[in-house]
Amino acid sequence: MLSRVADTIYWLNRYIERADNVARFVDVNLNLMLDLTQVTGQQWEPLILTTGDLQLFSQRYGEASSDNVIQFLTFDSNYPNSIVSCVQRARENARSIREIISSEMWEEVNAFYRMVTEASNDHPQGTLPHFFTQVKRSSHRFAGVMDATMTHNEGWHFGQMGRLQERADKTARILDVKYFYLLPSLEWVGTPLDQIQWIALLKSASAYEMYRKCQRRITPSNVAEFLVFNREFPRSIHFCLLQLQRSLHEITGTPLGTWHNKPERALGSLCAQLGYTTIEDVIKIGLHEFLDQIQIRVNEVGEKIGETFFT
């Protein structure tokens, strides 16, 4: 497969997944505001922190508020990680490889683009929850159509790698932000506000119902363990990295458990670390410090994939 095609499919899926995740963050925060009346002012800035673009936001919008954060993350066409920009770039990528992907995939991306573009021209506050639901459903439809209509060859695996890497990175970021930035003060730990925010975090990863099926109480350590180490939940960091590793080895033909190139070595080392680490180990290190290292290493895996396959 041409490196250009592999790169395009990989980023097509990353952009779709990124739009999905941004919609989750904003939608959950909108719902969270209905339950919070005392600390609403500071609940929007952590959303910008999850993107790593706080400095850019501050330069262009100043202090964070619901209106300017929603505009920045959702409809700002000059911000490359907004929903509008991600879907637009996904469509451009899909257009450039129409002979590789199925016609159903192209139609799905095109419909997604039209829906987002129409909403960006007229987006009253009351329609935003419906819009974010539509974004999430469009992302799910695209993933399902891709699985059902595209041969599971190298191209499909590159797409999987893009989607799973983006998902692992975003799960680490939102967990880190909740733990490190979101709570107003230590006095709030264990209060109803704390509970509401951990529930919101689980919902932003579509994890609340699955978490409740295996845990009765919502505690920071249990939530962190579920979102980091669970091997069966499809948005946990460990699950995403294990599936990413399988796709990588399907492409290279290298047996699992061995490595022949830099991304296989970096990803194998990271999966092994997660496989032999417990939540008690993480608490000793510090959850923020642990998640910071995970984000750095996930990004390193992405860089090595790019150096090995796309250049």
Side-chain angles (χ1 to χ4, degrees), residues 239-288:
F239 178 94
C240 291
L241 294 177
L242 288 173
Q243 296 300 316
L244 173 59
Q245 187 182 35
R246 289 193 181 97
S247 283
L248 176 61
H249 283 255
E250 282 290 332
I251 291 169
T252 61
T254 305
L256 281 169
T258 62
W259 61 273
H260 284 140
N261 55 45
K262 290 181 179 178
E264 288 174 350
R265 180 170 181 266
L267 186 54
S269 171
L270 181 53
C271 287
Q273 181 194 352
L274 290 174
Y276 289 94
T277 302
T278 66
I279 192 63
E280 289 77 16
D281 298 330
V282 172
I283 291 171
K284 285 180 185 174
I285 300 167
L287 182 58
H288 171 65

Side-chain angles (χ1 to χ4, degrees), residues 24-39:
R24 290 172 186 280
F25 300 158
V26 181
D27 190 30
V28 167
N29 218 49
L30 278 172
N31 290 324
L32 190 59
M33 291 305 97
L34 299 175
D35 297 314
L36 300 177
T37 57
Q38 303 175 47
V39 289

Side-chain angles (χ1 to χ4, degrees), residues 88-307:
Q88 183 176 21
R89 291 158 81 181
R91 182 172 180 262
E92 290 169 3
N93 280 23
R95 184 204 296 275
S96 68
I97 52 169
R98 284 188 65 175
E99 74 282 5
I100 303 295
I101 63 176
S102 66
S103 58
E104 289 88 350
M105 288 171 64
W106 165 246
E107 289 167 5
E108 200 59 49
V109 173
N110 218 22
F112 194 179
Y113 171 76
R114 287 201 306 272
M115 185 275 289
V116 169
T117 304
E118 289 170 7
S120 68
N121 295 327
D122 181 21
H123 48 86
Q125 189 81 11
T127 65
L128 287 174
H130 176 69
F131 169 73
F132 293 126
T133 300
Q134 291 295 99
V135 170
K136 288 182 280 186
R137 286 180 179 170
S138 295
S139 171
H140 291 168
R141 277 200 303 268
F142 176 78
V145 167
M146 181 171 167
D147 285 349
T149 64
M150 185 175 181
T151 304
H152 289 201
N153 55 12
E154 283 185 348
W156 184 84
H157 283 293
F158 274 114
Q160 285 288 99
M161 286 166 58
R163 179 181 302 126
L164 292 163
Q165 190 188 340
E166 184 71 26
R167 191 176 292 173
D169 177 68
K170 286 294 181 290
T171 298
R173 283 177 184 271
I174 62 171
L175 183 56
D176 191 20
V177 165
K178 167 64 187 81
Y179 183 79
F180 197 63
Y181 296 105
L182 196 54
L183 202 64
S185 73
L186 290 176
E187 296 175 359
W188 292 89
V189 173
T191 64
L193 170 65
D194 192 29
Q195 290 279 308
I196 289 171
Q197 289 184 333
W198 283 108
I199 291 172
L201 168 66
L202 287 166
K203 287 183 175 178
S204 68
S206 290
Y208 180 65
E209 292 172 347
M210 295 302 109
Y211 174 87
R212 280 296 202 186
K213 291 181 188 301
C214 60
Q215 295 286 347
R216 289 186 176 179
R217 295 182 60 236
I218 294 179
T219 65
S221 61
N222 285 345
V223 173
E225 183 177 28
F226 186 77
L227 291 177
V228 174
F229 295 115
N230 193 289
R231 289 170 175 256
E232 298 174 341
F233 181 64
R235 304 192 81 86
S236 84
I237 297 171
H238 199 185
F239 178 94
C240 291
L241 294 177
L242 288 173
Q243 296 300 316
L244 173 59
Q245 187 182 35
R246 289 193 181 97
S247 283
L248 176 61
H249 283 255
E250 282 290 332
I251 291 169
T252 61
T254 305
L256 281 169
T258 62
W259 61 273
H260 284 140
N261 55 45
K262 290 181 179 178
E264 288 174 350
R265 180 170 181 266
L267 186 54
S269 171
L270 181 53
C271 287
Q273 181 194 352
L274 290 174
Y276 289 94
T277 302
T278 66
I279 192 63
E280 289 77 16
D281 298 330
V282 172
I283 291 171
K284 285 180 185 174
I285 300 167
L287 182 58
H288 171 65
E289 288 75 12
F290 175 79
L291 291 172
D292 198 36
Q293 285 302 310
I294 292 294
Q295 290 170 48
I296 291 171
R297 294 183 67 181
V298 169
N299 288 334
E300 286 176 352
V301 169
E303 291 169 4
K304 294 183 189 308
I305 288 173
E307 292 167 2

Side-chain angles (χ1 to χ4, degrees), residues 35-96:
D35 297 314
L36 300 177
T37 57
Q38 303 175 47
V39 289
T40 54
Q42 67 182 47
Q43 301 304 306
W44 288 98
E45 188 172 289
L47 266 70
I48 306 296
L49 286 168
T50 63
T51 67
D53 294 320
L54 180 60
Q55 185 176 2
L56 175 63
F57 174 85
S58 299
Q59 289 171 353
R60 294 176 54 186
Y61 291 90
E63 188 175 349
S65 69
S66 62
D67 289 341
N68 59 27
V69 169
I70 290 172
Q71 174 64 26
F72 181 66
L73 293 178
T74 308
F75 299 114
D76 190 338
S77 58
N78 294 317
Y79 173 51
N81 294 320
S82 70
I83 292 175
V84 165
S85 297
C86 287
V87 176
Q88 183 176 21
R89 291 158 81 181
R91 182 172 180 262
E92 290 169 3
N93 280 23
R95 184 204 296 275
S96 68

